Amino acid sequence: VTLLQSGAIILVSRLIGSFTRRLGQPLVIAEVTGGIILGPSLLGWLWPAGMRALFPESSLTPLKMLSEIGLVLFMFLVGLELNPKLLRGRAPSSVAISHTSIVLPFGLGALAAYFLHDTYAPPGVALAPFILFLGAAMSVTAFPVLARILSERRLLSSRVGTITIACSAVDDVTAWCILAFVVAVARAQGLSQALWTSALAVLFILAMLFVARPILRRLGDRVATKDGLTPTVVAATLLLLLASAAFTEVIGIHALFGAFLFGAVLPKDGKMAEALADKLETVAVVLLLPLFFAYSGLRTEIGLLDQPREWLVAGVIIVLATAGKFGGTVVAGRITGLGWREASAIGILMNTRGLMELVVLNVGMDIGVISPTLFTIMVVMALVTTVATSPVLRAVYPDSELARDRVATDGAPVDTPMPVPVTGPPFAVLMCVSDARVGPGLVAVAGALAGNASAPARLHALHVWHPSDRPSVDLRRDDPEGDESPLGPLLADARDRALRVRPLSIGSSQPAKEIHRIAEQKQASLVLLGAHKPLLLEGRLDGMVSEIVAESPCPVGVLVDRGLTKVER
């Protein structure tokens, strides 16, 4: 049954994801929606027998166990992404903005909890833990989802993007520390036990920082390369991860806090953190994490909101959560010297809750602090605030403003048109590279064409990569001349040929449209592509090439490279 459930969950989430991505929404929206569709809100409403057959009561325990393992691995990956380099030069402003964006929604959530306690708190839950939990749940920001949105909007290298990533990193650490304290209070049988649990948590954090971190640093120094990450090292790391998660669970916090903290203290200087993330990400994010969404969907019953009162409460919570995050961020941003548009853009981005909100809500359900009705209301709030982020950001921070904010590697604004001679636009070639091996061949052709041009030509090299949910990976890809960029061999060959090539690296889930946009923006005379597989199927161009050719604003050339190094004529 578990195998059938896993297949159905992955299939549904990916099918919905193919649609939501076209709308500019992150994959997490599709996965949350897929979980709700497979749960009592839709499948259980339309076909109760089918839902009972797919998710019998006896199968929920194994599903929960697998989803918890996936969550532990995911929170470890989130901790791995918290690189101190993200705060370099921005620590004071990031801490100020982040903490203000936590305090204000926390206060508004606590105020709402005071009035909602009698109606929506489970029987026996005291007012204090209910207030603390709802305040913490309103103040969460989704660090991984932000990375994808910033990549899609080409904001990672901008001032807004770098500040937002730093703020969300600080937000994650602070929010999880608050949640750890809230869980300790909720689980404790009295004030003395809550204080004892909190003291153990502080000792555990200190031990991780000052004992475990130096040991892990020495281990990381031995794993100088990705090849040095042997199965034995991976097994030892996973054992330490499970031990950290188990310890925080035993002392009365939650296993997820231990997993997050272990990932956060793991040294980021060498290749160990990067290699571990590469090995674990696919299994954790693609296979196990959708199981968590399905389990959350089984706990989400939209049918519980069957009265206008419940929908009114949901609307009020959405307004309070949005106003708290946005207002706190804008005020702090203005105080730290940001303009209104920049501060507003960061405030909109910090409203992204996504997966992290679901994690917090499931913790609340597990410890019995919130009722199923309030759980459903909060899930609706998480979906609405996350879905609204991209379109609202596009309205407040349009492409014209983005063009002035983002700076290209050659020092000129990316979207600033090059000076156009009176006689007409110069000959310009846009070389699109996805595989580093085709770069030298493309630059050989482009160089020959430029040499025959009647006026000095412009050569541009473009690499379009698919955004991930990992800020560290996207930041490396966003550097067109970085060590991992496929543009490296092309640029090296261009230097040998004494050709000036302007590199550009952009994240987009719609590469063909991105190439069309850049070709128009750069006033390209020709788009050059490299071929990676047979192009002709039944007399038609196949795949990405056909998409680019169909809509390209200029002629397209496709190089089938068989070792081209020099163009004779």
Side-chain angles (χ1 to χ4, degrees), residues 150-284:
L150 290 170
S151 298
E152 293 275 7
R153 289 281 291 145
R154 297 179 296 283
L155 282 168
L156 273 175
S157 298
S158 69
R159 187 184 183 194
V160 166
T162 52
I163 292 175
T164 304
I165 281 289
C167 289
S168 60
V170 175
D171 194 297
D172 254 19
V173 175
T174 307
W176 279 100
C177 290
I178 293 173
L179 185 65
F181 176 74
V182 172
V183 173
V185 171
R187 283 180 168 176
Q189 303 295 322
L191 181 61
S192 60
Q193 187 177 346
L195 293 175
W196 175 245
T197 301
S198 300
L200 287 176
V202 172
L203 289 174
F204 175 69
I205 293 172
L206 294 175
M208 292 294 285
L209 290 174
F210 298 106
V211 178
R213 185 176 175 83
I215 295 174
L216 291 171
R217 185 177 296 279
R218 285 196 289 271
L219 178 62
D221 292 339
R222 295 185 179 183
V223 186
T225 64
K226 290 185 179 181
D227 295 334
L229 194 69
T230 62
T232 302
V233 175
V234 175
T237 306
L238 289 176
L239 284 173
L240 291 173
L241 166 62
L242 295 175
S244 177
F247 184 80
T248 52
E249 182 72 29
V250 168
I251 65 175
I253 307 176
H254 200 281
L256 298 182
F257 181 75
F260 171 79
L261 187 61
F262 182 73
V265 302
L266 200 73
K268 313 297 192 298
D269 298 334
K271 292 288 185 180
M272 183 177 179
E274 180 185 334
L276 275 171
D278 290 341
K279 286 183 178 293
L280 298 177
E281 183 182 33
T282 301
V283 174

Side-chain angles (χ1 to χ4, degrees), residues 448-468:
L449 293 170
N452 286 331
S454 57
R458 291 181 295 144
L459 303 181
H460 302 277
L462 172 66
H463 171 53
V464 182
W465 42 271
H466 194 82
S468 71

Side-chain angles (χ1 to χ4, degrees), residues 1-10 54 66 287 291:
V1 175
T2 304
L3 295 176
L4 182 61
Q5 291 172 345
S6 302
I9 292 165
I10 293 173
L54 184 59
L66 285 173
L287 177 61
L291 303 184

Side-chain angles (χ1 to χ4, degrees), residues 106-157:
F106 188 97
L108 292 175
L111 180 64
Y114 179 81
F115 293 101
L116 297 176
H117 175 265
D118 293 342
T119 306
Y120 293 100
V125 174
L127 179 62
F130 185 75
I131 285 177
L132 289 172
F133 181 83
L134 199 59
M138 297 272 269
S139 57
V140 170
T141 293
F143 180 63
V145 179
L146 266 182
R148 177 176 289 274
I149 294 175
L150 290 170
S151 298
E152 293 275 7
R153 289 281 291 145
R154 297 179 296 283
L155 282 168
L156 273 175
S157 298

Side-chain angles (χ1 to χ4, degrees), residues 347-386:
I348 293 165
L349 287 163
M350 293 294 284
N351 254 305
T352 306
R353 288 174 172 84
L355 168 62
M356 304 305 292
E357 181 72 21
L358 283 187
V359 173
V360 172
L361 295 178
N362 276 274
V363 170
M365 280 284 283
D366 290 338
I367 63 177
V369 176
I370 58 175
S371 64
T373 302
L374 186 57
F375 178 87
T376 301
I377 289 172
M378 296 296 287
V379 168
V380 171
M381 182 271 289
L383 279 172
V384 170
T385 53
T386 306

Side-chain angles (χ1 to χ4, degrees), residues 46-135:
L46 295 175
W47 189 21
M51 180 189 158
R52 286 193 297 270
L54 184 59
F55 296 103
E57 194 69 29
S58 58
S59 72
L60 296 186
T61 300
L63 183 65
K64 181 182 179 182
M65 291 174 60
L66 285 173
S67 68
E68 286 179 347
I69 293 173
L71 271 185
V72 166
L73 290 176
F74 177 76
M75 291 308 302
F76 170 65
L77 291 173
V78 172
L80 279 182
E81 294 302 316
L82 293 178
N83 195 327
K85 292 180 180 178
L86 295 174
L87 298 178
R88 186 169 296 168
R90 306 179 189 90
S93 60
S94 300
V95 170
I97 295 172
S98 176
H99 285 179
T100 308
S101 73
I102 288 177
V103 170
L104 191 54
F106 188 97
L108 292 175
L111 180 64
Y114 179 81
F115 293 101
L116 297 176
H117 175 265
D118 293 342
T119 306
Y120 293 100
V125 174
L127 179 62
F130 185 75
I131 285 177
L132 289 172
F133 181 83
L134 199 59

Side-chain angles (χ1 to χ4, degrees), residues 280-299:
L280 298 177
E281 183 182 33
T282 301
V283 174
V285 175
V286 177
L287 177 61
L288 297 178
L289 205 55
L291 303 184
F292 164 72
F293 288 114
Y295 185 69
S296 300
L298 293 173
R299 307 174 92 171

